[in-house]
């Protein structure tokens, strides 16, 4: 994977700065672009703008910011604010990546830099908001994108700062204000970012507290956000329990949930390219991304060739004994009663991923079973379909590979392993009919052909990026327009008198 150099970052920062300056020069905004006096506003801690001790204050501050934003600021001002967020992210890219890495203790530092870069440069801004018009004998009707107001947002530990950069650009471009309830294990790096963004927004004369967060987020503070009438929309990125909680709130909610992306490799594929792409995607940030490849279904006639090329590209093949030892360490298991007919009589083993091992380096996992290897990015092994590593969204640089006899079997098992998440899937093949067959069967929000699944969020792929892929609620690859209401405005009697 190509790394971003310091020079690349400097070039981007310079270009963003030029854009900001250009738009500031052209700004004749006779509307009040100065922050209005804030009487009776709850104040955030002086050192951390936008970070509040309690949820009510964070909501109130964001709500006041929204009122000011919607009454006194124009689209041009929104564009400046979006550029300001991009600039903050790029200027502080190294620092934010380092802070995230140190606090969350998961993933890989270099990949965090790439994710921040992606969020800052490929999240669309106000250009995403288009107005449609219908004109005819009876006049003119336009449909335009209006903000919701204050959005209550939940973010994951796996992409904490990236999600805030991405969501803030999208949501503020759409004219909203945001209150964040972040994952508690990322409260420090995210408060740093929220503070920096607010500082920069003030520098371009934007309202104070357009984004706020709760300093010590809990399920209780989320409850306050969910129940507050001043919050108009909820958006959550994370696991299934969180999405369920938001959907039960009685408010409109956009949920971006878990995935377990399967990959099919068939006998027509370029196997060397497939091996490299699968390793690139799975090893990226130690596989903590929801879109990261989690299990492979490989046609038996090309299985050996795929393993051969993976081993040449920094993978390590685990023996049965080695993977069993790893399972003892990184998974927990307990017996549960499973349905058998109408009675609950059958006992079955249920596995869970031990949080201590999520996102850890492949070499560290190997070391835990007494194997010392250098220059290894990914651990692979031959698995049965029932293997917990196939079934669980395990978020570790460990990839199970299931050998299958036919393409039909591969599709059937891949669909089962995806568990109806409708998240992400990929295929390596040169047969277009098969691509279509798999896409139709699996119905995921992101479907990637002959590339790492990262391409599906615009990383070495076309199209914009998002860190909030709303599969469960259907909005898909979110952007500014996702966070708007459609408003209709009609001018009637254009030329005819209505009888
Ligand atoms: P998580 O579900 O543990 O936490 C996500 C957020 O939800 C956190 O802010 C957490 O505090 C909150 N939360 C947790 N349990 C909750 C509950 N019962 N009620 C309300 N809120 C709750 O997930 P994580 O470990 O932070 O992130 C990894 C998960 O997120 C994976 O499942 C991954 O697939 C998913 N994810 C999805 C996307 C996407 O775009 N679809 C993007 C990134 C991550």
């Amino acid at each position: 994977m190509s790394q971003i150099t310091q020079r690349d970052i400097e070039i981007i920062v310079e270009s963003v700065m030029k854009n900001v300056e250009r738009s500031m020069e052209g700004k004749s905004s006779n509307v009040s672009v100065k922050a209005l006096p804030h009487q009776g506003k709850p104040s955030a801690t002086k050192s951390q703008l936008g970070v509040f001790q309690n949820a009510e204050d964070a909501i109130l501050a964001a709500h006041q910011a929204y009122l000011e934003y919607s009454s006194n600021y124009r689209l041009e001002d929104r564009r400046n604010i979006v550029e300001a967020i991009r600039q903050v992210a790029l200027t502080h890219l190294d620092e934010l990546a380092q802070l995230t890495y140190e606090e969350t203790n998961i993933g890989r530092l270099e990949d965090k830099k790439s994710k921040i870069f992606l969020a800052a440069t490929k999240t669309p801004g106000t250009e995403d908001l288009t107005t449609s018009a219908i004109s005819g004998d009876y006049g003119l009707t336009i449909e335009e994108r209006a903000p919701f107001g204050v959005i209550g947002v939940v973010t994951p530990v796996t992409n904490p700062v990236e999600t805030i950069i991405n969501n803030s650009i999208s949501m503020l471009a759409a004219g909203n204000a945001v209150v964040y309830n972040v994952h508690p294990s990322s409260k420090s790096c995210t408060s740093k970012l929220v503070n920096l963004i607010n500082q920069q927004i003030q520098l371009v004369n934007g309202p104070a507290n357009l984004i706020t967060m709760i300093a010590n987020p809990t399920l209780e503070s989320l409850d306050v956000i969910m129940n507050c009438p001043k919050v108009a929309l909820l958006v959550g990125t994370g696991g299934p329990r969180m999405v369920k909680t938001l959907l039960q709130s009685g408010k409109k909610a956009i949920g971006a949930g878990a995935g377990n992306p399967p990959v099919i490799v068939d006998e027509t594929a370029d196997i060397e390219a497939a091996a490299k792409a699968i390793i690139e995607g799975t090893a990226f940030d130690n596989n903590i991304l929801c879109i990261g490849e989690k299990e492979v279904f490989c046609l038996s006639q090309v299985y050996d060739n795929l393993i051969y090329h993976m081993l040449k590209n920094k993978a390590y093949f685990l023996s049965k004994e080695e993977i069993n030892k790893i399972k003892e360490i990184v998974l927990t298991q307990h017996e549960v009663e499973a349905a058998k007919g109408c009675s609950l009589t059958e006992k079955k083993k249920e596995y869970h991923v031990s949080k201590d091992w999520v996102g850890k380096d492949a070499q560290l996992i190997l070391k835990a079973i007494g194997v010392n290897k250098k220059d290894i990015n990914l651990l692979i092994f031959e698995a049965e379909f029932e293997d917990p590593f196939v079934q669980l969204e395990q978020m570790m640089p460990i990839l199970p590979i299931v050998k299958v006899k036919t393409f039909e079997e591969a599709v059937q098992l891949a669909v089962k392993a995806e568990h109806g998440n409708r998240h992400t899937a990929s295929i390596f093949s040169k047969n277009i009919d098969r691509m279509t067959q798999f896409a139709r069967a699996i119905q995921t929000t992101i479907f990637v052909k002959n590339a790492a699944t990262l391409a599906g969020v615009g990383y070495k792929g076309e199209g914009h990026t998002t860190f909030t892929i709303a599969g469960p609620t259907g909005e898909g690859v979110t952007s500014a327009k996702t966070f708007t209401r459609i408003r209709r405005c009609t001018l009637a009697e254009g030329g005819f008198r209505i009888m």
Side-chain angles (χ1 to χ4, degrees):
M1 179 179 309
S2 62
Q3 302 293 347
I4 304 160
T5 65
Q6 189 58 35
R7 184 62 199 137
D8 291 335
I9 294 168
E10 282 165 17
I11 292 169
I12 299 285
V13 172
E14 272 167 28
S15 117
V16 172
M17 280 303 285
K18 269 191 200 136
N19 281 344
V20 173
E21 278 161 17
R22 216 175 295 132
S23 45
M24 291 301 290
E25 277 162 19
K27 180 188 261 195
S28 55
S29 227
N30 41 17
V31 290
S32 160
V33 288
K34 279 198 193 118
L36 298 175
H38 306 301
Q39 279 174 5
K41 270 193 174 177
S43 57
T45 48
K46 269 214 173 96
S47 54
Q48 300 279 55
L49 295 177
V51 183
F52 290 82
Q53 289 306 322
N54 81 53
E56 286 87 354
D57 283 352
I59 299 169
L60 193 56
H63 189 251
Q64 285 178 350
Y66 167 68
L67 294 179
E68 204 175 310
Y69 197 37
S70 59
S71 344
N72 297 328
Y73 288 79
R74 308 183 309 175
L75 267 174
E76 190 186 342
D77 302 317
R78 288 194 209 170
R79 279 194 282 274
N80 290 335
I81 286 169
V82 165
E83 288 307 320
I85 300 172
R86 295 192 204 282
Q87 191 200 330
V88 163
L90 294 170
T91 309
H92 296 270
L93 187 145
D94 285 343
E95 183 190 359
L96 288 169
Q98 185 70 37
L99 284 173
T100 307
Y101 183 65
E102 281 167 11
E103 184 181 10
T104 61
N105 205 13
I106 55 175
R108 292 167 20 154
L109 182 60
E110 287 310 311
D111 296 337
K112 296 197 187 303
K113 293 181 188 175
S114 300
K115 289 197 295 181
I116 294 173
F117 185 79
L118 183 67
T121 55
K122 286 194 90 173
T123 304
T126 52
E127 71 282 6
D128 193 52
L129 309 170
T130 50
T131 300
S132 65
I134 308 142
S135 67
D137 291 341
Y138 292 99
L140 170 71
T141 289
I142 59 164
E143 283 185 344
E144 59 183 8
R145 302 272 176 175
F148 273 92
V150 176
I151 308 181
V153 178
V154 181
T155 57
V157 70
T158 46
N159 305 318
V161 297
E162 302 85 344
T163 307
I164 290 189
I165 295 163
N166 168 259
N167 284 186
S168 300
I169 292 176
S170 301
M171 292 171 187
L172 269 50
N176 304 287
V178 188
V179 53
Y180 285 104
N181 204 69
V182 305
H183 192 292
S185 305
S186 62
K187 62 184 180 188
S188 184
C189 57
T190 48
S191 12
K192 171 85 186 174
L193 175 62
V194 165
N195 175 43
L196 286 169
I197 291 179
N198 277 305
Q199 274 178 14
Q200 199 67 27
I201 290 178
Q202 290 198 347
L203 282 180
V204 295
N205 292 323
N209 298 317
L210 259 188
I211 68 168
T212 66
M213 67 173 273
I214 292 118
N216 290 299
T218 56
L219 290 183
E220 289 69 38
S221 58
L222 177 59
D223 221 42
V224 175
I225 293 174
M226 288 197 302
N227 289 308
C228 178
K230 285 192 160 60
V231 175
L233 169 68
L234 299 169
V235 178
T237 307
R241 281 187 305 167
M242 179 277 297
V243 172
K244 193 171 170 198
T245 304
L246 296 197
L247 289 175
Q248 285 171 339
S249 68
K251 281 203 164 97
K252 178 177 166 71
I254 295 176
N260 194 36
V263 184
I264 291 181
V265 181
D266 81 4
E267 76 284 9
T268 69
D270 177 336
I271 300 297
E272 185 177 356
K276 285 181 180 162
I278 294 169
I279 291 183
E280 178 181 29
T282 315
F284 187 84
D285 216 11
N286 286 338
N287 208 5
I288 56 174
L289 269 69
C290 57
I291 57 159
E293 294 83 347
K294 298 289 186 295
E295 64 278 338
V296 174
F297 298 93
C298 180
L299 271 286
S300 52
Q301 59 266 51
V302 287
Y303 173 87
D304 289 342
N305 200 11
L306 180 72
I307 301 293
Y308 169 78
H309 285 292
M310 290 182 112
L311 296 183
K312 278 177 70 178
N313 287 282
K314 299 194 179 180
Y316 175 89
F317 192 89
L318 297 164
S319 67
K320 269 206 173 104
E321 198 193 355
E322 287 171 333
I323 184 61
N324 285 340
K325 278 190 195 164
I326 287 176
K327 280 179 195 164
E328 293 286 323
I329 297 169
V330 305
L331 300 178
T332 58
Q333 54 166 294
H334 61 271
E335 283 205 330
V336 289
E337 290 205 316
K340 190 184 181 193
C342 293
S343 57
L344 279 177
T345 49
E346 200 178 48
K347 298 261 186 208
K348 119 173 177 200
K349 272 186 191 164
E350 197 176 85
Y351 292 90
H352 294 277
V353 178
S354 157
K355 292 240 179 228
D356 294 345
W357 287 94
V358 164
K360 292 291 184 282
D361 288 350
Q363 279 163 215
L364 199 70
I365 298 171
L366 272 185
K367 207 170 166 197
I369 58 161
V371 179
N372 283 308
K373 283 271 168 198
K374 281 196 175 139
D375 223 17
I376 292 295
N377 275 350
L378 183 67
L379 309 180
I380 56 175
F381 70 100
E382 184 179 352
E384 297 296 324
F385 175 71
E386 295 73 24
D387 194 291
F389 273 89
V390 174
Q391 301 301 325
L392 290 173
E393 189 201 25
Q394 32 90 8
M395 297 200 285
M396 284 177 261
I398 302 178
L399 186 68
I401 304 177
V402 180
K403 223 189 250 181
V404 289
K405 288 195 183 71
T406 63
F407 181 73
E408 286 64 32
E409 185 189 0
V411 171
Q412 193 198 5
L413 296 183
V415 169
K416 270 194 194 166
E418 213 272 328
H419 302 305
N421 293 323
R422 294 191 161 186
H423 201 295
T424 298
S426 72
I427 181 169
F428 290 85
S429 173
K430 289 190 178 141
N431 183 324
I432 293 175
D433 289 347
R434 282 181 171 179
M435 293 175 184
T436 309
Q437 187 184 338
F438 184 31
R440 281 200 181 139
I442 199 149
Q443 293 287 332
T444 46
T445 306
I446 294 181
F447 188 75
V448 177
K449 289 155 258 181
N450 296 323
T453 50
L454 285 164
V457 288
Y459 184 89
K460 298 186 194 168
E462 292 303 326
H464 72 268
T465 201
T466 186
F467 281 75
T468 296
I469 301 155
T473 48
E475 292 79 5
V477 181
T478 58
S479 60
K481 63 174 167 291
T482 312
F483 308 110
T484 57
R485 297 176 295 121
I486 294 178
R487 194 165 61 183
R488 178 177 268 216
C489 185
T490 297
L491 175 70
E493 289 189 277
F496 279 103
R497 275 190 158 273
I498 297 174
M499 305 300 288

